[in-house]
Amino acid sequence: QATFSILFVDVKVEHTYTIGTLQLGVPEPSLAGTDGIPELFDGDSASAAGNLYLTMSPTGSSYWVVSHVSGDAANADGETVQVSGLGYKQTFSHVKHVVANAGSGNDTVIIGDEITSSVNIHGSGGNDSIIVQSAGPAGNVVDGGDGADYVKIYAAPGSSPDLTRFTAEGGTGPSDELNLSFSNDVDSVVLSETTGTGWKAVTDSSEILAGHFEKVTLILMGGADQVTLNTLVNTGIGKMTLNLGVDSARESVTFNGSAGSDFYSTDVVSGSFQVTALAGSAPVTQFILGYAGSSQGGCDVNFNLAAGNDGATVIQAMADIALHFDGGEDDDYFQILPGTSSNQKIGRAHV
């Protein structure tokens, strides 16, 4: 309010000015809890057991990232990690186990590189994405739950001499996908059935027990890698892609048949070498071999048909892919069909 005079007349003028706004903000949410303490905040520690539970929405879609800060879960003081979610970042210490129980939404959980804590992640409902770049040597579980889930595990060798063990479960969804990424060095990977519909992928430094994945991709990066595929007829895998790496090293892929009647055919589809496998009355499995041609060093593909009345048909092959067939016991047949494509390239076939 101001007063001034004009020709001996007092004039009063009143005006309101805004010099600032006081706003009461929403309190920062808790991104994780621990045993007996459902809400932890930035700088808090996990329980003595080292359990860190991500605070995920029971119904909405969540996006969470767990990153390594310092320490090692194998030590008494555990690991310090940073959790990112809901637009916030919070740091927690003394962590040894990271647990996430997602809700019914389409959730994403990413466990970053250099994490040393074990991980136990359950996707529950929704179409979830779970990516684990690093984890402790044992006790690691990834379960996609219901829905069409995508799971990626980096199974490259770590600094620990122990095996890194994972249990990966696709859940009840009809189109779950598992992606296993190996090292940039020479990898030797063996896939075998276990019990029921389960199977395992074993290297010198990792073991992944898996089940209920309809699509599987192996990314083998660099080096002269070797992949051995024992019979997988009961696993429910409909399509497996082997990305053999963009390099000049020659790779090796071996198919070992079952004790029953096995049938294999080879073809070239969309520029990639494809093997179709059928064992008895089991569903057909397609194997796509990417980066296997002459420009990437070539590949030896071996078929050990074992016992049973087996068969193999070469529809098409590719340059610098050598096919080796061993019929094994009983009565087997092998045939090369006449080429019907102008760009057909037959490599070498040894029977």
Side-chain angles (χ1 to χ4, degrees):
Q1 177 177 305
T3 303
F4 56 93
S5 299
I6 300 177
L7 299 175
F8 309 105
V9 177
D10 292 337
V11 178
K12 294 183 178 181
V13 179
E14 186 173 304
H15 189 77
T16 301
Y17 296 90
T18 302
I19 61 174
T21 301
L22 178 63
Q23 183 178 10
L24 299 178
V26 178
E28 182 172 324
S30 167
L31 300 184
T34 191
D35 300 311
I37 306 175
E39 291 187 342
L40 295 176
F41 295 92
D42 188 42
D44 287 344
S45 299
S47 65
N51 295 320
L52 186 72
Y53 304 98
L54 302 187
T55 308
M56 305 193 69
S57 170
T59 56
S61 297
S62 303
Y63 189 98
W64 297 84
V65 179
V66 180
S67 305
H68 173 80
V69 175
S70 63
D72 192 326
N75 298 331
D77 291 336
E79 179 180 20
T80 298
V81 302
Q82 182 185 79
V83 177
S84 302
L86 306 177
Y88 296 89
K89 294 182 179 180
Q90 296 175 355
T91 300
F92 306 102
S93 60
H94 295 86
V95 177
K96 296 184 178 182
H97 314 286
V98 176
V99 181
N101 292 307
S104 59
N106 300 328
D107 301 298
T108 298
V109 179
I110 300 176
I111 306 297
D113 194 22
E114 298 184 353
I115 289 291
T116 58
S117 299
S118 66
V119 298
N120 196 314
I121 304 172
H122 294 265
S124 189
N127 301 329
D128 305 309
S129 295
I130 302 171
I131 300 174
V132 181
Q133 296 179 329
S134 179
N140 301 297
V141 177
V142 176
D143 187 345
D146 298 336
D149 304 307
Y150 173 82
V151 175
K152 183 172 184 177
I153 296 173
Y154 287 72
S159 59
S160 172
D162 298 327
L163 281 174
T164 299
R165 291 183 169 88
F166 278 91
T167 298
E169 174 65 37
T172 59
S175 55
D176 298 308
E177 181 175 353
L178 176 62
N179 188 314
L180 300 178
S181 182
F182 296 90
S183 75
N184 202 38
D185 298 322
V186 176
D187 292 302
S188 178
V189 185
V190 179
L191 275 68
S192 307
E193 290 184 338
T194 53
T195 57
T197 59
W199 55 277
K200 63 182 178 180
V202 179
T203 72
D204 291 337
S205 60
S206 62
E207 180 180 69
I208 295 94
L209 303 177
H212 297 103
F213 288 99
E214 289 72 35
K215 297 179 182 179
V216 177
T217 298
L218 307 184
I219 301 178
L220 294 159
M221 309 294 284
D225 304 307
Q226 300 176 6
V227 180
T228 300
L229 300 167
N230 294 318
T231 180
L232 299 171
V233 297
N234 297 310
T235 62
I237 299 174
K239 180 180 180 181
M240 179 177 290
T241 301
L242 310 179
N243 288 336
L244 299 176
V246 183
D247 54 44
S248 59
R250 190 169 185 85
E251 326 286 353
S252 173
V253 178
T254 299
F255 293 86
N256 289 327
S258 68
S261 298
D262 302 303
F263 301 93
Y264 295 93
S265 67
T266 73
D267 203 350
V268 178
V269 179
S270 300
S272 294
F273 185 71
Q274 176 175 300
V275 176
T276 300
L278 174 65
S281 59
V284 171
T285 301
Q286 292 181 334
F287 298 88
I288 309 296
L289 277 61
Y291 307 109
S294 57
S295 61
Q296 281 82 38
C299 184
D300 293 312
V301 182
N302 310 298
F303 297 88
N304 298 321
L305 304 182
N309 300 326
D310 308 307
T313 300
V314 177
I315 301 174
Q316 289 192 80
M318 294 179 67
D320 214 16
I321 290 184
L323 307 178
H324 305 265
F325 295 90
D326 184 347
E329 304 173 14
D330 300 315
D331 298 325
D332 308 306
Y333 75 84
F334 169 76
Q335 61 179 338
I336 297 178
L337 297 185
T340 58
S341 173
S342 60
N343 64 354
Q344 178 181 11
K345 297 179 179 179
I346 290 292
R348 295 173 290 168
H350 302 269
V351 183

